[in-house]
């Protein structure tokens, strides 16, 4: 079905073609019927091979015929001697070569060749590899051929280092051969595994947790070889910085395994008699157990929002009176059965709340996917990339990789440079997003003024500017979390940073005050309900029109949403679920123009005593 | 300068969507296909699906005779024989090329080389839904038995019980069949998930199977299958999902290509675009550039879309240039129809579907 270029033809040529086609059709039908009747009668001889050959030459995707052919060949194996069988199968390989010449992407042909190679009494693997070489020289991206080559290598026991040398040659002659880089990524961990003794594979789990992916530990490469690979890949991206292949491969080299799965935080509140738990990934509540003072508790776990069956944060309520008496000390433990891990939290006398957590720094949460092997290695890589950046200042791959390396080395120290690089990447986003006249002058970010006065700016990758905007937002949020932890406070403040999205909300379970003012947020998504300790929400000067996530926040008292885009009373309904809400600032929102708004809001939100419209 | 702007404007005006031509293109597809499509005879039902769903998207199904079409599709159902000996071979076949006599009702006829094909069962069911059929003549238990017989130990599927290549494409077909029939007894989900995870490549795209090169089509099959199963966030961590998103986002050049350093091709606007939609990040794509590319492959005379500009249009690319429900690859209307059917089925059996 895929791609043939149009060619014009005359009426006469058309007529000739038509006659030819009719002739072909008659022949085809006759052959097909002959085939089926033979097969039905159970005839498996050379005649069968001949008839199917005719048909398959013009239609190699007629699967049933390949199956008939395979039956015939298997039968012939039982009635001919080995030399004859060898000859028959070699003829089969020749036939397949002619099929593949016509259509080098036929699933049927390649599948059959694999089958034949497996049954041939005396296989000639050099011939098979030669076929692959020829096929790849015509189309080095033909994945059917690459897949077949892998099968041949496996069956024939070609040593991995020989295949690695093969990829060396291919990559050496053409750095942008993505398929070669891919093949290399599968060979390298076999030849130079990270751990010299492969650990025994884990027993099959009955649980629902996902099995390790190819990017996990056992598939990684030892450091000595990694350094050699860095050099190879740098040659590639210095030669052609615009080719994706080397950059993706580089990213993989720099990358690292998934982190350990743990219960990252546990929070206990006497007032609500509630336990909130944050996990390192989204889980479902089956397999969570709460133990209080040595007694397992019968509790209902719920996620923060009815939308989520899977959530990184779960909450449960204890029976009234269980922990409300502040003169009592309690010990609580949450067990995550599937991972055989647990977390303890002691609630002391006189304390109304308590928590226990691993900080983001402890978890190395934001090491941004990169290997922690050696800082010196990462620094040397950063240096190389910066060298390239001097030659190619607008190359997006280079900028993205530099950002990645900086975040691995020192996310806070490199924050200014990271922001500058993002500005280069997403320049057209700043240009095209209109300035809202209602927004205060102070909300103009430094990036806007940067562009007003830099007319020579070119677009690096404007097509993906929305993606970069969100990516930059994510990194700024990560940095803010780190700063918050270093300061040992529960206040999360990130204003005037062009934030387009919120993430890592599962890390904000303990936050009491949040300031998101003067950004570009459109909504507070359901995940926002993970901020179970929130008392004050400041989000003035955004474009917020959706408050779904301000939902059942038990301690929330103040919500400041001046100059946003809240337009209907329905938008404010989630707030009714927050029992302690006292103060609400809605000035500068379209909803203030709704008829009778004050009365409606008083009815919707009876706890609010200080309402600004 | 302004003359540059003007010519750009003209270019934009010229690239308009020729709905009527496409309707006629699909109509012709449903009548006679040119010789160069001969090799697709064995998979004819998939071509019918592209044409029918294309007409559905264009809101033009009234140009065909629905009932005749429905009958023809049912004639492709491989039904159980009297003694039910062929249950593991049931499903839908691609066309009449084997020579089974035309029949739309059971019992099935025994023929040693007749069997369902997983992609034909999938597109057959979708085609019936598109035509508004209630699937009451589908032998669901037989289809599911036929499906179970196709799954291998490693979790992947053959296309036919006689054997064929096995990979992630057929997992997608299987998941779609189970989803439509509202019955997951047709497959071992856990094994399928393991195969899918094993197909995740070093660059966070999915290959056809373990160790194979990442590709937009297989990435779609992986993500859409997990979504249909309702297991996306269980099977893949947030980090993995973010990396997959990144790989997919980088596929847009103007339109989309299926693999790095390959030319853009209309069909990947669907395979990759739908994947991004399922991963909730379609807003990261540049809608205008994609639209302009697709329209540049439009055949202004014959209708339909081609893989590339100045190529022959074909039903696959014509269909995938249009907009549909991302996980099942049918229109929203057809999707709502199947949901309503499922409500009826669940209501009448008095219990919810047999899900994991």
């Amino acid at each position: 079905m895929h791609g043939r270029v149009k060619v014009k033809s005359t009426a006469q040529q058309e007529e000739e073609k038509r006659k030819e086609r009719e002739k072909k059709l008659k022949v085809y039908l006759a052959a097909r019927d002959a085939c089926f009747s033979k097969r039905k009668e159970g005839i498996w001889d050379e005649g069968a091979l001949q008839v199917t050959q005719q048909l398959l030459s013009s239609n190699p995707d007629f699967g049933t015929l390949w199956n008939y052919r395979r039956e015939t060949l298997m039968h012939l194996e039982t009635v001919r001697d080995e030399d004859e069988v060898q000859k028959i199968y070699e003829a089969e390989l020749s036939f397949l070569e002619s099929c593949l010449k016509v259509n080098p992407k036929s699933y049927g042909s390649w599948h059959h060749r694999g089958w034949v190679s497996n049954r041939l009494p005396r296989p000639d693997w050099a011939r098979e590899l030669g076929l692959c070489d020829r096929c790849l020289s015509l189309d080095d991206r033909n994945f059917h051929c690459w897949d077949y080559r892998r099968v041949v290598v496996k069956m024939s026991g070609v040593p991995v280092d020989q295949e690695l040398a093969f990829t060396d040659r291919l990559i050496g002659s053409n750095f942008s051969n993505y398929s070669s880089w891919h093949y290399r990524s599968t060979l390298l961990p076999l030849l130079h595994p990270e751990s010299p003794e492969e650990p025994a594979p884990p027993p099959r789990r009955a649980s629902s947790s996902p099995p390790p992916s190819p990017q996990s530990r056992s598939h990684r490469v030892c450091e000595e070889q990694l350094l050699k690979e860095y050099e190879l890949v740098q040659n590639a991206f210095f030669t052609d910085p615009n080719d994706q292949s080397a950059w993706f491969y580089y990213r993989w080299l720099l990358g690292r395994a998934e982190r350990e799965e743990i219960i990252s935080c546990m929070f206990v509140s006497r007032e609500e008699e509630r336990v909130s738990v944050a996990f390192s990934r989204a889980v479902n509540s089956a397999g969570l157990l709460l133990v209080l003072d040595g007694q397992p508790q019968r509790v209902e776990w719920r996620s923060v929002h009815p939308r989520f069956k899977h959530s990184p944060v779960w909450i449960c309520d204890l029976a009234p009176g269980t922990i409300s008496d502040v003169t009592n000390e309690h010990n609580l433990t949450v067990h995550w059965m599937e991972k055989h891990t647990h977390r303890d939290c002691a609630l002391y006398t006189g304390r109304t709340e308590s928590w226990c957590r691993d900080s983001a720094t402890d978890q190395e949460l934001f090491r941004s996917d990169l290997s922690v092997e050696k800082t010196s290695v990462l620094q040397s890589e950063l240096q190389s990339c910066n060298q390239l950046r001097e030659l190619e200042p607008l190359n997006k791959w280079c900028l993205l990789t530099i950002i990645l390396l900086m975040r691995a080395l020192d996310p806070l120290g490199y924050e200014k440079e990271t922001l500058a690089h993002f500005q280069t990447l997403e320049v057209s986003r700043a240009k095209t997003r209109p300035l809202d006249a209602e927004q205060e002058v102070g909300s103009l970010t430094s990036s806007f003024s940067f562009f007003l006065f830099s007319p020579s700016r070119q677009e690096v990758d404007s097509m993906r500017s929305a993606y970069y905007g969100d990516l930059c937002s994510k990194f700024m949020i990560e940095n803010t979390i780190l700063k918050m932890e270093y300061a040992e406070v529960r206040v999360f403040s990130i204003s005037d940073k062009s934030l387009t999205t919120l993430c890592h909300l599962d890390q904000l379970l303990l936050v009491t005050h949040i300031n998101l003012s003067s950004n570009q947020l459109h909504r507070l998504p359901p995940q926002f309900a993970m901020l179970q300790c929130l008392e004050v929400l400041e989000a003035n000067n955004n474009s917020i029109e959706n408050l779904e996530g301000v939902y059942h926040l038990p301690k929330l008292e103040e919500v400041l949403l001046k100059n946003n885009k809240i337009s209907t009373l329905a938008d404010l309904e989630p707030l009714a679920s927050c029992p302690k809400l006292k103060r609400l600032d809605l000035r500068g929102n379209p909803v203030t123009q709704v008829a009778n708004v004050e009365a409606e809001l008083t009815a919707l939100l009876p706890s609010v005593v200080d309402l600004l419209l | 300068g302004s003359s540059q702007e003007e010519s750009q404007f003209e270019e934009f005006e010229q690239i308009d969507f020729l709905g009527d031509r496409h309707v006629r293109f699909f109509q012709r597809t449903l009548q006679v296909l040119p010789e160069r499509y001969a090799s697709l005879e064995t998979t004819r039902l998939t071509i019918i699906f592209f044409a029918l769903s294309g007409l559905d998207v264009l809101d033009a199904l009234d140009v065909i005779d629905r009932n005749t079409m429905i009958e023809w599709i049912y004639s492709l159902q491989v039904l159980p024989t009297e003694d039910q000996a062929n249950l593991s071979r049931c499903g839908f076949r691609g066309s009449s090329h084997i020579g089974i006599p035309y029949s739309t009702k059971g019992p099935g006829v025994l023929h040693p080389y007749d069997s369902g094909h997983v992609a034909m069962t999938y597109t057959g069911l979708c085609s019936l839904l598109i035509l508004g059929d209630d699937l009451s003549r589908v032998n669901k238990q037989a289809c599911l038995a036929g499906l179970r017989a196709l799954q291998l130990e490693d979790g992947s599927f053959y296309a036919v019980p006689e054997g064929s290549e096995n990979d992630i494409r057929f997992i997608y077909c299987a998941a779609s069949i189970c989803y439509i029939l509202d019955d997951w007894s047709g497959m071992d989900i856990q094994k399928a998930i393991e195969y899918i995870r094993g197909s995740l490549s070093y660059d966070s795209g999915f290959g056809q199977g373990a160790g194979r090169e990442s590709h937009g089509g297989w990435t779609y099959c992986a993500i859409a299958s997990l979504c249909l199963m309702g297991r996306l966030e269980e099977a893949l961590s947030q980090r993995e999902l973010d990396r997959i998103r990144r790989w997919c986002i980088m596929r847009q050049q103007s339109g989309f290509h299926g693999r790095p350093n390959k030319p853009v091709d209309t069909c990947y606007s669907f395979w990759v675009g739908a994947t991004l939609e399922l991963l909730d990040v379609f807003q990261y794509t540049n809608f205008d550039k994609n639209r302009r590319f697709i329209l540049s492959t439009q055949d202004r005379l014959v209708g339909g879309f081609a893989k590339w500009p100045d190529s022959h249009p074909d039903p696959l690319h014509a269909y995938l240039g249009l907009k549909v429900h991302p996980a099942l690859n049918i229109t929203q209307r057809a999707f709502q129809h199947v949901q309503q059917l499922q409500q009826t089925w669940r209501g009448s059996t008095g219990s919810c579907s047999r899900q994991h």
Side-chain angles (χ1 to χ4, degrees), chain B residues 201-213:
Chain B
S201 181
Y202 77 101
D203 56 5
S204 302
F206 286 88
Q208 244 175 321
R212 295 159 82 169
E213 196 181 333

Side-chain angles (χ1 to χ4, degrees), chain A residues 407-454:
Chain A
R407 293 204 62 70
L409 283 163
D410 184 359
L412 291 176
Y414 282 118
E415 183 174 296
K416 272 208 176 68
E417 293 184 43
T418 304
L419 278 171
H421 290 324
F422 268 110
Q423 281 161 13
T424 312
L425 276 168
E426 54 175 322
V427 72
S428 86
R429 174 178 76 99
K431 265 200 213 146
T432 57
R433 206 165 278 215
L435 291 176
D436 193 326
E438 283 176 38
Q439 286 182 346
E440 295 169 16
V441 172
S443 78
L444 271 177
T445 64
S446 54
S447 59
F448 286 132
S449 42
F450 184 60
F451 293 116
L452 289 175
F453 301 122
S454 303

Side-chain angles (χ1 to χ4, degrees), chain A residues 212-475:
Chain A
S213 78
Q215 290 148 349
S216 64
R217 273 196 91 79
S218 61
H219 294 257
R220 300 287 291 121
V221 177
C222 76
E223 184 163 344
E224 190 191 324
Q225 189 61 29
L226 267 182
L227 292 172
K228 290 192 195 145
E229 290 299 299
Y230 288 144
E231 222 187 288
L232 175 66
V233 125
Q234 275 176 32
N235 281 341
F237 63 64
F238 268 83
T239 308
D240 183 2
N242 289 309
D243 170 50
Q244 292 187 35
S245 323
W247 293 106
F248 267 99
Y249 189 77
Y250 190 46
R251 183 80 184 243
W252 171 71
L253 288 177
L254 292 168
R256 68 168 193 165
E258 297 279 316
R259 59 199 163 96
E260 220 193 321
E261 290 173 347
I262 56 164
I263 301 171
S264 49
C265 178
M266 189 174 156
F267 175 80
V268 183
S269 166
R270 279 198 208 266
E271 199 181 329
E272 288 91 38
E273 303 212 69
R274 178 175 298 170
V275 178
S276 308
V277 187
F279 297 84
S280 57
R281 68 164 167 91
V283 299
N284 64 39
S285 60
L288 298 182
L289 176 67
L290 178 69
V291 174
L292 171 66
D293 300 327
Q295 301 296 320
Q297 301 291 301
R298 200 175 250 128
V299 288
E300 294 263 330
W301 291 97
R302 54 191 168 82
S303 62
V304 299
H305 196 283
R307 282 245 218 115
F308 303 141
K309 287 200 202 94
H310 259 75
S311 175
V313 172
W314 289 87
I315 306 168
C316 69
D317 298 306
L318 295 164
T322 320
I323 56 171
S324 52
D325 188 342
V326 78
T327 62
N328 288 338
E329 180 177 310
H330 295 287
N331 283 299
L332 298 100
T333 306
V334 171
H335 292 266
W336 185 7
M337 315 282 242
E338 191 186 305
K339 295 286 157 186
H340 308 290
T341 186
H342 65 277
R343 183 131 227 151
D344 303 306
C345 186
L347 181 58
Y348 298 111
T349 316
R351 302 290 284 272
T352 54
E353 58 185 23
S354 181
W355 63 83
C356 174
R357 63 185 297 236
D358 283 353
S359 71
T361 323
D362 291 337
Q363 295 176 68
E364 297 187 314
L365 209 55
F366 307 137
R367 287 306 293 250
S368 183
D369 267 6
L370 287 204
S371 170
V372 290
E373 307 304 2
K374 288 187 176 100
T375 308
S376 56
V377 169
L378 294 175
Q379 270 167 351
S380 145
E381 294 309 309
L382 181 58
Q383 220 175 15
S384 303
C385 289
N386 273 319
Q387 272 169 23
L388 180 62
R389 188 171 66 93
E390 278 167 45
L391 302 168
E392 304 267 346
L394 302 179
N395 182 290
K396 69 173 185 275
W397 303 109
C398 192
L399 287 169
L400 284 169
T401 308
I402 287 172
I403 290 170
L404 190 73
L405 287 162
M406 290 195 299
R407 293 204 62 70
L409 283 163
D410 184 359
L412 291 176
Y414 282 118
E415 183 174 296
K416 272 208 176 68
E417 293 184 43
T418 304
L419 278 171
H421 290 324
F422 268 110
Q423 281 161 13
T424 312
L425 276 168
E426 54 175 322
V427 72
S428 86
R429 174 178 76 99
K431 265 200 213 146
T432 57
R433 206 165 278 215
L435 291 176
D436 193 326
E438 283 176 38
Q439 286 182 346
E440 295 169 16
V441 172
S443 78
L444 271 177
T445 64
S446 54
S447 59
F448 286 132
S449 42
F450 184 60
F451 293 116
L452 289 175
F453 301 122
S454 303
S456 61
R457 273 289 153 195
Q458 291 171 60
E459 295 178 355
V460 173
D461 192 10
S462 57
M463 193 163 56
R464 276 171 274 266
S465 52
Y467 169 63
Y468 296 133
D470 281 5
L471 192 61
C472 188
S473 300
K474 178 167 122 168
F475 293 155

Side-chain angles (χ1 to χ4, degrees), chain A residues 6 39 107 141 147 176 178-179 182 185 211 213-215 243-245 251 310 365 369 463-464 470, chain B residues 113 197 200-204 208 211-213 234 239 243 246 249 251-252 259-261 284 299:
Chain A
K6 285 179 176 177
R39 196 180 184 191
Y107 280 100
R141 303 300 301 278
D147 292 343
S176 78
Y178 198 88
S179 304
H182 165 80
S185 81
S213 78
Q215 290 148 349
D243 170 50
Q244 292 187 35
S245 323
R251 183 80 184 243
H310 259 75
L365 209 55
D369 267 6
M463 193 163 56
R464 276 171 274 266
D470 281 5
Chain B
Y113 307 116
R197 280 194 55 82
L200 188 58
S201 181
Y202 77 101
D203 56 5
S204 302
Q208 244 175 321
R212 295 159 82 169
E213 196 181 333
E234 257 184 66
R239 283 190 173 198
R243 288 185 217 133
R246 173 166 35 97
I249 285 160
R251 296 309 115 233
Q252 182 168 23
R259 297 184 270 165
N261 302 332
Y284 290 157
D299 189 312

Side-chain angles (χ1 to χ4, degrees), chain A residues 44-58:
Chain A
W44 294 305
D45 60 8
E46 275 83 350
L49 290 178
Q50 247 179 359
V51 178
T52 51
Q53 185 160 324
Q54 266 186 295
L55 288 167
L56 286 168
S57 303
S58 51

